[in-house]
Amino acid sequence: MVHFCGLLTLHREPVPLKSISVSVNIYEFVAGVSATLNYENEEKVPLEAFFVFPMDEDSAVYSFEALVDGKKIVAELQDKMKVSLAAGHKFDRDVELLIYYNEVHTPSVVLEMGMPNMKPGHLMGDPSAMVSFYPNIPEDQPSNTCGEFIFLMDRSGSMQSPMSSQDTSQLRIQAAKETLILLLKSLPIGCYFNIYGFGSSYEACFPESVKYTQQTMEEALGRVKLMQADLGGTEILAPLQNIYRGPSIPGHPLQLFVFTDGEVTDTFSVIKEVRINRQKHRCFSFGIGEGTSTSLIKGIARASGGTSEFITGKDRMQSKAAETTGEVCLKYTLQGKTFEDKVTFPLQPKPDVNLTIHRLAAKSLLQTKDMGLRETPASDKKDALNLSLESGVISSFTAFIAINKELNKPVQGPLAHRDVPRPILLGASAPLKIKCQSGFRKALHSDRPPSASQPRGELMCYKAKTFQMDDYSLCGLISHKDQHSPGFGENHLVQLIYHQNANGSWDLNEDLAKILGMSLEEIMAAQPAELVDSSGWATILAVIWLHSNGKDLKCEWELLERKAVAWMRAHAGSTMPSVVKAAITFLKSSVDPAIFAF
């Protein structure tokens, strides 16, 4: 849990927040957000404070201003080499806005005018077009045996924290373990896999990736259940390098799954390591809990062509134009089939004082060029600096500084050494502190405007604007509810998944009977005579239970259900339709028998 957010005193205590106002403008899949926060100093003396603002990896902050005792302080972007920076922070609770689209798979185009006073030939001066393309990709049947799957699990002390600021929420390590079990059960027979745990050090479940069998799966599950958040800090670079050094398995492309809640000090180095090895693998990253570093989670997924997910402990979801028009033709090939979409749009650009599309384009370009202050190649540094200054979107080479608009001069004050708090997670071995100089001449980090002295009784109004574009995935794997669940036994869905065999089947035993809410004798007595194998009866009952009791979480168990149905087809043969009908009647379920696709 992150403690530091909002307007804070030098003793890290929050200044009373009186009101919040948020306005949102939606442009296809892009949101322009303006947030206004009002604070009041209730102390008897002036208060020196600093403001902590959360930054998402895909957000482009371009404006920040504060009204202090009637004085307007504006943050202006300048070359970082002329100023110094302090470390950034995050809020302790995420705020989610759910937006639902009609005809989400229909392509669209939006054209935006550039800056009126900017010369043509510059990104911010020319009109910009944004094409929104979210295709409805048909489901593909995965390979039965192909793939090497390596799971990299964060076992730092902070993983012992709750998923959210609610004390009754599930522990992060528990949520990650349940997710890992789900993925292990979804693996196909014949693939290869391994599990790494990391913190200040790292350890592997097996010396090298092993073939996925019933025996290796059971051994891995036993170790997963014993996993604890007991490995200290969050050092992910060393285990990554060890994984990449390992030999490739012919015919089994590497897919890496990373689970972490932390923010590492060498984010750019980690992303660089993933990018260097992007030709040999794809990385799928999962941010566990609120306040996770979006730069790390999204950065490593983007660098390798994978996807990122965030598990926060909450339910998850996802003027008239001129007659002259333009047309965009989108052609793509998928599974041997060619698709084509044509989109007609007006050529008259729409004015937008905030230049939403332009700034988003600038952010996207910066992500390709800006590898950090020290990691960026010299050939890209100048381009990244100029683009950042031109667009007003922060980069590793620029920083915001406070400007008093009445005097049109930088806000100045005496420099003094301060301990700047970093995000601290419950359960971490020790808080991190970074020495820096603070004062009104301080530069603003991308998520931290300057400190300011606030007279007693006066309202402070902070206003920040960001743009954000969220990633869209075909189906989220994870959907943990905000409920306390300390053990696998309290969640019947997790328990059922845990008892599935590697080949997709279930055994008919007391564990399954308990989940179904029946006695083992009752279940065995109802088994159809034509079905000799009790595992076949157990598997059909388990699949029907999933559809009856876990349909809202289908995208989580869909892969392992598919494996179970494939096993049933191979073993039940021609008796499958009658056995399925008997199982539905026995469980008094309304599930459609077509789910087994006879």
Side-chain angles (χ1 to χ4, degrees), residues 185-188 212 502-504 559-567:
K185 292 291 185 175
S186 301
L187 295 180
Y212 182 73
N503 60 10
L559 292 178
L560 60 89
E561 181 256 6
R562 185 185 300 168
K563 187 163 64 170
V565 171
W567 182 89

Side-chain angles (χ1 to χ4, degrees), residues 232-266:
T234 308
E235 301 295 335
I236 192 174
L237 185 58
L240 275 177
Q241 292 172 334
N242 183 73
I243 291 171
Y244 293 146
R245 281 195 298 265
S248 299
I249 302 176
H252 293 270
L254 173 62
Q255 302 202 53
L256 178 64
F257 295 80
V258 178
F259 303 82
T260 182
D261 73 341
E263 180 174 355
V264 298
T265 56
D266 54 351

